Amino acid sequence: MTPHRLSPADARRVAVRAQLLDGSRPAELLDLVRRLTLLQIDPTAAVAPNADLVAWSRLGSSYSRAELVAALEDRKLIELRAFVRPGEDLALYRAEMALRPSGGRSWREWVRANDACRRDILDRLGSAGPLPSRDLPDTCEVPWKSTGWTNNRNVTQLLECMVILGEVAVAGRRGNDRLWDLAERVYPDEPAVPVEEARRRRDERRLRALGIARARTTQFPVEPADVGEAGEPAVVEGVKGEWRVDPSLLDGPFTGRAALLSPFDRLVHDRKRAVELFGFDYQLEMYKPVAKRRWGYFALPILYGDRLVGKLDATADRKAGVLRVDAIHQDVPFTDDMAAEIDREIEDLARWLRLSR
Protein backbone atom coordinates (compact mmCIF):
# COMPACT_ATOMS: atom_id res chain seq x y z
CA MET A 1 0.00 0.00 0.00
CA THR A 2 1.28 3.47 -0.87
CA PRO A 3 1.83 5.40 2.38
CA HIS A 4 -0.35 8.39 3.17
CA ARG A 5 1.72 11.58 2.85
CA LEU A 6 0.95 13.91 5.75
CA SER A 7 2.05 17.42 6.53
CA PRO A 8 3.16 18.02 10.13
CA ALA A 9 -0.16 19.83 10.72
CA ASP A 10 -2.09 16.84 9.31
CA ALA A 11 -0.27 14.48 11.67
CA ARG A 12 -0.79 16.70 14.70
CA ARG A 13 -4.49 17.06 13.98
CA VAL A 14 -4.92 13.31 13.66
CA ALA A 15 -3.27 12.88 17.07
CA VAL A 16 -5.32 15.63 18.73
CA ARG A 17 -8.60 14.41 17.21
CA ALA A 18 -7.86 10.81 18.27
CA GLN A 19 -7.32 11.91 21.87
CA LEU A 20 -10.64 13.80 21.90
CA LEU A 21 -8.87 17.11 22.49
CA ASP A 22 -10.28 18.98 19.51
CA GLY A 23 -13.24 21.35 19.61
CA SER A 24 -15.82 18.55 19.80
CA ARG A 25 -15.75 17.65 23.47
CA PRO A 26 -17.07 14.21 24.45
CA ALA A 27 -20.06 14.19 26.78
CA GLU A 28 -19.80 11.00 28.82
CA LEU A 29 -17.08 9.30 30.86
CA LEU A 30 -17.66 5.71 29.74
CA ASP A 31 -17.59 6.67 26.07
CA LEU A 32 -14.42 8.65 26.74
CA VAL A 33 -12.60 5.69 28.32
CA ARG A 34 -13.78 3.32 25.61
CA ARG A 35 -12.33 5.65 22.98
CA LEU A 36 -9.06 6.34 24.83
CA THR A 37 -8.92 2.64 25.92
CA LEU A 38 -7.46 3.59 29.31
CA LEU A 39 -6.94 6.08 32.10
CA GLN A 40 -3.61 5.74 33.87
CA ILE A 41 -3.74 5.70 37.66
CA ASP A 42 -1.06 7.74 39.40
CA PRO A 43 -1.26 8.91 43.02
CA THR A 44 0.48 12.25 42.40
CA ALA A 45 -2.09 14.95 43.04
CA ALA A 46 -0.13 18.20 42.86
CA VAL A 47 -3.07 19.44 40.79
CA ALA A 48 -5.37 16.39 40.62
CA PRO A 49 -4.90 12.61 40.22
CA ASN A 50 -4.03 11.73 36.64
CA ALA A 51 -7.18 9.78 35.77
CA ASP A 52 -9.35 12.68 36.89
CA LEU A 53 -7.18 15.31 35.22
CA VAL A 54 -7.29 13.46 31.89
CA ALA A 55 -11.08 13.17 32.13
CA TRP A 56 -11.45 16.87 33.02
CA SER A 57 -9.24 17.88 30.06
CA ARG A 58 -11.81 16.28 27.75
CA LEU A 59 -15.12 16.61 29.59
CA GLY A 60 -14.60 19.95 31.31
CA SER A 61 -15.78 21.02 34.75
CA SER A 62 -19.02 19.04 34.43
CA TYR A 63 -16.92 15.92 35.15
CA SER A 64 -17.07 14.62 38.72
CA ARG A 65 -14.73 12.06 40.26
CA ALA A 66 -17.86 10.37 41.61
CA GLU A 67 -18.55 9.25 38.04
CA LEU A 68 -15.27 7.33 37.92
CA VAL A 69 -15.81 5.83 41.37
CA ALA A 70 -19.33 4.68 40.40
CA ALA A 71 -18.18 3.16 37.10
CA LEU A 72 -15.48 1.19 38.92
CA GLU A 73 -17.93 0.00 41.57
CA ASP A 74 -20.37 -1.12 38.88
CA ARG A 75 -17.50 -2.88 37.03
CA LYS A 76 -18.27 -0.94 33.86
CA LEU A 77 -14.64 0.09 34.24
CA ILE A 78 -11.96 -2.22 35.66
CA GLU A 79 -8.59 -1.45 37.24
CA LEU A 80 -5.83 -3.57 35.70
CA ARG A 81 -2.15 -2.98 36.46
CA ALA A 82 -2.55 0.72 37.32
CA PHE A 83 -4.80 1.45 34.34
CA VAL A 84 -8.57 1.90 34.28
CA ARG A 85 -9.97 0.08 31.25
CA PRO A 86 -13.46 -0.68 29.90
CA GLY A 87 -14.79 -3.83 31.53
CA GLU A 88 -15.40 -5.47 28.15
CA ASP A 89 -11.71 -5.04 27.22
CA LEU A 90 -10.64 -7.58 29.86
CA ALA A 91 -11.45 -10.32 27.33
CA LEU A 92 -8.45 -9.05 25.34
CA TYR A 93 -6.07 -9.87 28.24
CA ARG A 94 -7.42 -13.05 29.78
CA ALA A 95 -5.88 -15.52 27.31
CA GLU A 96 -2.40 -14.09 27.89
CA MET A 97 -2.90 -14.33 31.64
CA ALA A 98 -3.81 -18.01 31.29
CA LEU A 99 -0.61 -18.89 29.40
CA ARG A 100 1.55 -18.83 32.55
CA PRO A 101 4.83 -19.28 30.61
CA SER A 102 7.67 -20.80 32.60
CA GLY A 103 11.43 -20.91 32.41
CA GLY A 104 14.12 -18.28 32.69
CA ARG A 105 15.28 -16.32 35.72
CA SER A 106 12.42 -13.93 36.29
CA TRP A 107 9.67 -12.83 38.66
CA ARG A 108 7.93 -16.11 37.84
CA GLU A 109 10.70 -18.04 39.59
CA TRP A 110 10.25 -15.77 42.60
CA VAL A 111 6.51 -16.51 42.61
CA ARG A 112 7.19 -20.24 42.45
CA ALA A 113 9.63 -19.92 45.36
CA ASN A 114 6.84 -18.31 47.40
CA ASP A 115 4.03 -20.61 46.32
CA ALA A 116 2.91 -21.23 49.92
CA CYS A 117 2.32 -17.50 50.43
CA ARG A 118 0.55 -17.30 47.07
CA ARG A 119 -1.81 -20.12 48.00
CA ASP A 120 -2.43 -18.56 51.41
CA ILE A 121 -3.42 -15.27 49.73
CA LEU A 122 -5.83 -17.11 47.43
CA ASP A 123 -7.39 -18.92 50.40
CA ARG A 124 -7.82 -15.73 52.43
CA LEU A 125 -9.30 -13.78 49.54
CA GLY A 126 -11.58 -16.69 48.70
CA SER A 127 -13.02 -16.75 52.22
CA ALA A 128 -12.89 -13.08 53.25
CA GLY A 129 -12.13 -10.91 50.19
CA PRO A 130 -12.04 -8.15 49.15
CA LEU A 131 -9.15 -7.24 51.45
CA PRO A 132 -6.44 -4.57 51.55
CA SER A 133 -2.89 -5.87 51.22
CA ARG A 134 -2.11 -5.07 54.85
CA ASP A 135 -4.62 -7.77 55.90
CA LEU A 136 -2.65 -10.42 54.03
CA PRO A 137 0.26 -11.76 56.11
CA ASP A 138 3.72 -11.93 54.58
CA THR A 139 4.78 -15.59 54.65
CA CYS A 140 7.21 -15.30 51.73
CA GLU A 141 10.30 -17.45 52.13
CA VAL A 142 12.28 -15.47 49.54
CA PRO A 143 12.08 -11.67 49.84
CA TRP A 144 11.57 -9.50 46.76
CA LYS A 145 14.80 -7.72 45.83
CA SER A 146 14.71 -4.41 44.05
CA THR A 147 16.79 -1.26 43.83
CA GLY A 148 13.56 0.74 43.89
CA TRP A 149 10.68 1.36 46.30
CA THR A 150 9.31 -2.21 45.91
CA ASN A 151 12.27 -3.77 47.77
CA ASN A 152 11.00 -6.17 50.45
CA ARG A 153 7.37 -5.25 49.71
CA ASN A 154 6.68 -8.92 49.35
CA VAL A 155 2.89 -9.12 49.56
CA THR A 156 2.33 -6.09 47.35
CA GLN A 157 4.73 -7.43 44.73
CA LEU A 158 3.25 -10.92 44.90
CA LEU A 159 -0.22 -9.50 44.34
CA GLU A 160 1.03 -7.60 41.28
CA CYS A 161 2.47 -10.85 39.90
CA MET A 162 -0.79 -12.66 40.59
CA VAL A 163 -2.64 -9.99 38.61
CA ILE A 164 -0.45 -10.80 35.59
CA LEU A 165 -1.27 -14.48 36.12
CA GLY A 166 -4.99 -13.68 36.17
CA GLU A 167 -5.51 -14.95 39.73
CA VAL A 168 -6.36 -11.77 41.65
CA ALA A 169 -7.73 -8.35 40.75
CA VAL A 170 -8.38 -4.96 42.26
CA ALA A 171 -12.02 -5.06 43.35
CA GLY A 172 -12.21 -1.45 44.49
CA ARG A 173 -10.57 1.10 46.73
CA ARG A 174 -10.94 2.31 50.28
CA GLY A 175 -9.42 5.74 50.11
CA ASN A 176 -6.07 5.18 48.41
CA ASP A 177 -5.90 1.53 49.49
CA ARG A 178 -6.61 -1.08 46.84
CA LEU A 179 -8.99 -3.87 47.80
CA TRP A 180 -7.98 -7.26 46.42
CA ASP A 181 -10.19 -10.20 45.50
CA LEU A 182 -10.18 -13.31 43.34
CA ALA A 183 -10.12 -12.32 39.67
CA GLU A 184 -13.05 -14.61 38.89
CA ARG A 185 -15.25 -12.49 41.18
CA VAL A 186 -14.13 -9.19 39.62
CA TYR A 187 -13.66 -9.70 35.89
CA PRO A 188 -16.60 -10.01 33.50
CA ASP A 189 -17.54 -13.59 32.72
CA GLU A 190 -16.81 -13.36 29.02
CA PRO A 191 -14.83 -15.75 26.80
CA ALA A 192 -11.17 -14.82 26.43
CA VAL A 193 -10.14 -13.71 22.96
CA PRO A 194 -7.32 -15.92 21.58
CA VAL A 195 -3.87 -14.42 22.17
CA GLU A 196 -2.90 -13.40 18.63
CA GLU A 197 -6.36 -12.03 17.84
CA ALA A 198 -6.34 -10.13 21.15
CA ARG A 199 -2.95 -8.55 20.39
CA ARG A 200 -4.16 -7.49 16.95
CA ARG A 201 -7.30 -5.94 18.38
CA ARG A 202 -5.37 -4.18 21.14
CA ASP A 203 -3.04 -2.70 18.51
CA GLU A 204 -6.03 -1.50 16.50
CA ARG A 205 -7.68 0.06 19.53
CA ARG A 206 -4.42 1.70 20.58
CA LEU A 207 -3.97 3.22 17.14
CA ARG A 208 -7.55 4.47 17.19
CA ALA A 209 -6.76 6.19 20.50
CA LEU A 210 -3.42 7.64 19.35
CA GLY A 211 -4.36 8.37 15.74
CA ILE A 212 -0.79 8.07 14.50
CA ALA A 213 2.01 5.96 15.97
CA ARG A 214 5.08 3.94 15.10
CA ALA A 215 4.81 0.24 14.30
CA ARG A 216 7.72 -0.24 16.71
CA THR A 217 9.14 2.30 19.15
CA THR A 218 10.45 2.74 22.69
CA GLN A 219 8.93 0.19 25.03
CA PHE A 220 6.97 1.33 28.06
CA PRO A 221 5.93 -0.74 31.09
CA VAL A 222 2.48 -2.36 30.82
CA GLU A 223 1.02 -0.27 27.96
CA PRO A 224 2.99 -0.09 24.68
CA ALA A 225 3.22 3.05 22.55
CA ASP A 226 3.54 1.16 19.26
CA VAL A 227 0.82 -0.46 17.18
CA GLY A 228 2.34 -3.19 15.01
CA GLU A 229 0.62 -3.48 11.64
CA ALA A 230 -2.62 -1.77 12.68
CA GLY A 231 -4.00 0.92 10.38
CA GLU A 232 -2.26 2.06 7.21
CA PRO A 233 1.29 3.27 6.48
CA ALA A 234 2.04 7.00 6.50
CA VAL A 235 4.99 9.33 6.22
CA VAL A 236 5.16 12.77 7.80
CA GLU A 237 6.93 15.55 5.96
CA GLY A 238 10.23 16.38 7.66
CA VAL A 239 10.13 13.36 10.02
CA LYS A 240 12.22 10.27 9.36
CA GLY A 241 10.70 6.83 9.10
CA GLU A 242 7.27 5.36 8.54
CA TRP A 243 4.22 5.67 10.76
CA ARG A 244 0.91 3.87 11.06
CA VAL A 245 -2.23 5.98 10.87
CA ASP A 246 -5.93 5.39 11.45
CA PRO A 247 -7.36 6.45 8.06
CA SER A 248 -10.78 7.27 9.55
CA LEU A 249 -9.17 10.25 11.29
CA LEU A 250 -7.64 11.79 8.17
CA ASP A 251 -10.68 13.50 6.71
CA GLY A 252 -12.99 16.24 7.86
CA PRO A 253 -12.53 19.77 9.17
CA PHE A 254 -10.48 20.36 12.30
CA THR A 255 -11.59 22.67 15.09
CA GLY A 256 -9.09 23.19 17.87
CA ARG A 257 -9.27 24.57 21.38
CA ALA A 258 -7.10 25.22 24.41
CA ALA A 259 -6.50 22.37 26.85
CA LEU A 260 -4.37 21.80 29.93
CA LEU A 261 -2.94 18.28 30.01
CA SER A 262 -1.65 15.95 32.66
CA PRO A 263 2.07 15.13 32.38
CA PHE A 264 0.90 11.51 31.90
CA ASP A 265 -1.58 12.40 29.15
CA ARG A 266 -1.32 10.03 26.15
CA LEU A 267 -0.88 12.96 23.78
CA VAL A 268 2.54 13.63 25.39
CA HIS A 269 3.31 10.36 27.19
CA ASP A 270 5.65 9.17 24.43
CA ARG A 271 8.17 12.03 24.68
CA LYS A 272 9.95 11.04 21.45
CA ARG A 273 6.68 11.17 19.51
CA ALA A 274 5.87 14.54 21.09
CA VAL A 275 9.16 15.92 19.77
CA GLU A 276 8.76 14.36 16.31
CA LEU A 277 5.17 15.46 15.72
CA PHE A 278 4.81 18.57 17.87
CA GLY A 279 8.39 19.76 18.38
CA PHE A 280 7.53 19.68 22.08
CA ASP A 281 10.34 19.32 24.62
CA TYR A 282 9.01 18.09 27.94
CA GLN A 283 10.03 16.13 31.02
CA LEU A 284 8.20 15.51 34.26
CA GLU A 285 10.45 17.23 36.79
CA MET A 286 8.97 16.13 40.12
CA TYR A 287 11.99 13.87 40.72
CA LYS A 288 14.53 16.58 39.92
CA PRO A 289 16.12 18.90 42.49
CA VAL A 290 14.34 22.25 42.55
CA ALA A 291 17.36 24.08 41.15
CA LYS A 292 17.40 21.86 38.05
CA ARG A 293 13.73 22.25 37.13
CA ARG A 294 12.94 24.27 34.02
CA TRP A 295 9.15 24.27 34.21
CA GLY A 296 8.07 23.12 37.66
CA TYR A 297 7.29 20.16 39.89
CA PHE A 298 4.17 19.03 37.96
CA ALA A 299 3.95 21.38 34.97
CA LEU A 300 0.90 20.81 32.77
CA PRO A 301 1.50 20.81 28.99
CA ILE A 302 -0.63 23.43 27.24
CA LEU A 303 -2.38 22.52 23.99
CA TYR A 304 -3.72 25.20 21.68
CA GLY A 305 -5.35 24.00 18.48
CA ASP A 306 -2.94 21.48 16.98
CA ARG A 307 0.17 22.79 18.76
CA LEU A 308 1.68 22.18 22.17
CA VAL A 309 2.58 25.75 23.07
CA GLY A 310 3.79 25.82 26.67
CA LYS A 311 3.63 24.57 30.24
CA LEU A 312 1.57 25.65 33.24
CA ASP A 313 3.36 25.50 36.60
CA ALA A 314 0.47 25.28 39.06
CA THR A 315 -0.30 23.60 42.39
CA ALA A 316 -3.59 22.89 44.10
CA ASP A 317 -3.14 24.17 47.67
CA ARG A 318 -6.23 22.59 49.15
CA LYS A 319 -5.45 23.68 52.70
CA ALA A 320 -5.39 27.33 51.61
CA GLY A 321 -8.26 26.78 49.17
CA VAL A 322 -6.36 28.11 46.16
CA LEU A 323 -4.92 27.03 42.84
CA ARG A 324 -1.48 28.62 42.82
CA VAL A 325 -0.20 29.58 39.37
CA ASP A 326 3.55 30.11 39.68
CA ALA A 327 4.37 30.43 35.98
CA ILE A 328 3.04 30.05 32.46
CA HIS A 329 5.97 29.06 30.26
CA GLN A 330 5.43 30.06 26.63
CA ASP A 331 7.20 27.85 24.10
CA VAL A 332 5.88 30.22 21.45
CA PRO A 333 4.71 33.80 22.04
CA PHE A 334 1.01 33.79 22.95
CA THR A 335 -1.29 35.99 20.92
CA ASP A 336 -4.00 37.88 22.81
CA ASP A 337 -6.59 35.29 21.71
CA MET A 338 -4.37 32.39 22.82
CA ALA A 339 -3.69 33.97 26.19
CA ALA A 340 -7.38 34.66 26.79
CA GLU A 341 -8.48 31.11 25.90
CA ILE A 342 -5.73 29.50 27.96
CA ASP A 343 -6.64 31.77 30.86
CA ARG A 344 -10.25 30.57 30.64
CA GLU A 345 -9.04 26.97 30.90
CA ILE A 346 -7.05 27.84 34.03
CA GLU A 347 -10.17 29.44 35.53
CA ASP A 348 -12.18 26.33 34.63
CA LEU A 349 -9.54 24.13 36.26
CA ALA A 350 -9.77 26.15 39.47
CA ARG A 351 -13.57 26.01 39.38
CA TRP A 352 -13.54 22.23 38.84
CA LEU A 353 -11.14 21.84 41.78
CA ARG A 354 -13.39 24.13 43.86
CA LEU A 355 -10.47 26.42 44.52
CA SER A 356 -9.86 30.11 44.05
CA ARG A 357 -7.17 30.98 41.56
Side-chain angles (χ1 to χ4, degrees):
M1 176 181 289
T2 303
H4 296 275
R5 304 194 70 83
L6 308 180
S7 69
D10 291 334
R12 293 194 301 268
R13 290 174 180 181
V14 165
V16 171
R17 188 181 289 121
Q19 277 290 297
L20 304 180
L21 286 164
D22 59 354
S24 303
R25 284 183 184 267
E28 204 271 328
L29 178 65
L30 286 177
D31 290 342
L32 170 71
V33 181
R34 285 173 177 138
R35 175 63 181 271
L36 300 183
T37 74
L38 57 84
L39 295 176
Q40 181 176 343
I41 297 172
D42 188 272
T44 307
V47 175
N50 177 70
D52 294 316
L53 193 51
V54 169
W56 168 80
S57 292
R58 278 80 175 167
L59 299 170
S61 58
S62 63
Y63 166 70
S64 169
R65 173 163 173 74
E67 297 175 54
L68 179 57
V69 173
L72 287 166
E73 288 177 349
D74 294 343
R75 307 282 164 78
K76 294 176 181 176
L77 299 176
I78 297 287
E79 182 176 335
L80 176 64
R81 300 189 68 193
F83 289 92
V84 173
R85 300 184 186 272
E88 62 267 21
D89 279 11
L90 264 292
L92 302 177
Y93 296 87
R94 298 299 297 275
E96 241 173 35
M97 292 174 178
L99 284 178
R100 300 169 182 261
S102 59
R105 298 184 61 187
S106 68
W107 59 267
R108 295 178 190 276
E109 288 188 345
W110 180 77
V111 171
R112 286 193 291 272
N114 291 298
D115 190 60
C117 185
R118 170 185 154 273
R119 286 185 282 105
D120 181 61
I121 288 173
L122 291 173
D123 288 343
R124 290 174 185 272
L125 292 181
S127 60
L131 294 171
S133 60
R134 63 174 175 270
D135 288 357
L136 300 169
D138 181 359
T139 60
C140 287
E141 297 182 10
V142 180
W144 176 260
K145 297 296 184 184
S146 168
T147 57
W149 70 275
T150 60
N151 190 55
N152 279 330
R153 293 177 179 261
N154 298 329
V155 171
T156 300
Q157 193 61 31
L158 188 53
L159 287 165
E160 297 289 356
C161 295
M162 293 168 72
V163 168
I164 298 173
L165 295 172
E167 295 179 324
V168 303
V170 176
R173 286 183 177 251
R174 185 181 298 152
N176 289 326
D177 290 337
R178 292 177 291 181
L179 299 177
W180 298 91
D181 206 346
L182 301 179
E184 64 197 46
R185 297 204 293 232
V186 176
Y187 294 158
D189 186 18
E190 297 179 6
V193 177
V195 171
E196 290 305 316
E197 171 68 8
R199 288 174 181 166
R200 182 186 65 79
R201 286 168 57 180
R202 293 202 308 259
D203 284 346
E204 290 174 348
R205 285 183 45 69
R206 190 178 309 115
L207 180 60
R208 175 68 172 167
L210 295 173
I212 181 169
R214 298 287 193 181
R216 296 287 179 267
T217 189
T218 305
Q219 293 301 299
F220 292 90
V222 185
E223 179 67 14
D226 51 31
V227 296
E229 298 306 308
E232 296 177 0
V235 292
V236 179
E237 179 184 340
V239 181
K240 292 182 179 179
E242 191 169 272
W243 298 79
R244 306 296 295 185
V245 68
D246 184 331
S248 70
L249 297 168
L250 290 173
D251 299 324
F254 176 83
T255 304
R257 65 178 180 89
L260 307 175
L261 308 181
S262 165
F264 303 106
D265 198 288
R266 290 290 132 173
L267 191 70
V268 298
H269 187 265
D270 183 345
R271 310 301 191 210
K272 182 180 178 182
R273 175 177 177 265
V275 170
E276 290 179 318
L277 297 184
F278 291 88
F280 187 63
D281 180 20
Y282 181 80
Q283 289 182 333
L284 179 59
E285 298 181 314
M286 58 190 289
Y287 301 111
K288 286 187 175 183
V290 174
K292 293 186 177 181
R293 292 175 188 158
R294 291 179 288 173
W295 306 304
Y297 176 84
F298 197 74
L300 307 185
I302 301 172
L303 175 71
Y304 185 81
D306 64 6
R307 301 298 300 268
L308 290 161
V309 298
K311 295 96 176 170
L312 172 69
D313 181 10
T315 306
D317 186 340
R318 292 169 180 82
K319 185 175 181 180
V322 297
L323 175 68
R324 300 192 186 279
V325 177
D326 293 312
I328 300 175
H329 301 280
Q330 300 184 21
D331 288 12
V332 298
F334 289 3
T335 65
D336 289 345
D337 287 345
M338 289 171 64
E341 193 169 346
I342 290 165
D343 194 67
R344 283 194 292 271
E345 282 298 297
I346 298 172
E347 293 291 347
D348 190 72
L349 176 60
R351 182 164 50 251
W352 173 64
L353 292 169
R354 299 182 180 180
L355 301 173
S356 300
R357 178 174 170 180

